[in-house]
Amino acid sequence: MNWTLEVVVVPVSDVDRAKEFYADRLGFAVDHDTRIGDDIRIVQLTPPGSGCSIVIGRGAVPDMPPGSLKGLQLVVPDLEKARAELVERGVAVSEIQVMGRNPRPVPHPLDNVGFVFFTDPDGNAWAVQQISGRG
């Protein structure tokens, strides 16, 4: 039996601001933006190529302090290109950092060990890792 992770709830203080950040700055697809009355809103967004989405909202999502989610991680085949896209879209992103060394030869020196980091407007922390074989 396969067990797939499909959705991660990201706690935010302002749904519209977060939707703009994830859709316009990061390029996530807006799968749906559902309002159920005045107090319930669910927005699901999916990173390009991902099988897992994020959900932001109010009312029907778990109550967590905005910005409390740390360690979310995206994987890209070309970290330099991904970082350039983030910079072009106005995301404050770290320089590329090499974290450790590979125990065996890899196609690109940044594979597995190359990362950049950024936060959303609420402080939820993300990492982007290069694994060129995923492209």
Side-chain angles (χ1 to χ4, degrees), residues 7-130:
V7 175
V8 174
V9 176
V10 177
V12 300
S13 61
D14 181 319
V15 177
D16 289 321
R17 179 181 70 176
K19 179 182 173 186
E20 183 275 331
F21 177 80
Y22 285 104
D24 298 342
R25 302 259 177 130
L26 296 183
F28 288 19
V30 179
D31 301 323
H32 66 85
D33 185 342
T34 304
R35 297 173 194 259
I36 306 168
D38 294 333
D39 298 327
I40 299 175
R41 182 176 178 195
I42 302 165
V43 181
Q44 182 171 321
L45 305 108
T46 303
S50 180
C52 185
S53 303
I54 64 166
V55 166
I56 57 175
R58 67 175 181 275
V61 297
D63 187 21
M64 297 182 287
S68 62
L69 201 52
K70 308 296 181 199
L72 295 162
Q73 188 164 312
L74 300 166
V75 173
V76 297
D78 183 334
L79 190 59
E80 292 160 331
K81 182 177 177 183
R83 184 182 184 283
E85 284 183 22
L86 292 174
V87 169
E88 184 178 304
R89 292 178 174 183
V91 176
V93 61
S94 74
E95 296 293 328
I96 292 174
Q97 299 177 32
V98 175
M99 314 282 286
R101 11 180 309 231
N102 282 298
R104 62 189 181 288
V106 291
H108 189 283
L110 289 177
D111 279 349
N112 305 318
V113 297
F115 291 84
V116 294
F117 303 92
F118 66 89
T119 59
D120 74 6
D122 284 293
N124 294 298
W126 291 81
V128 183
Q129 178 187 26
Q130 176 169 314

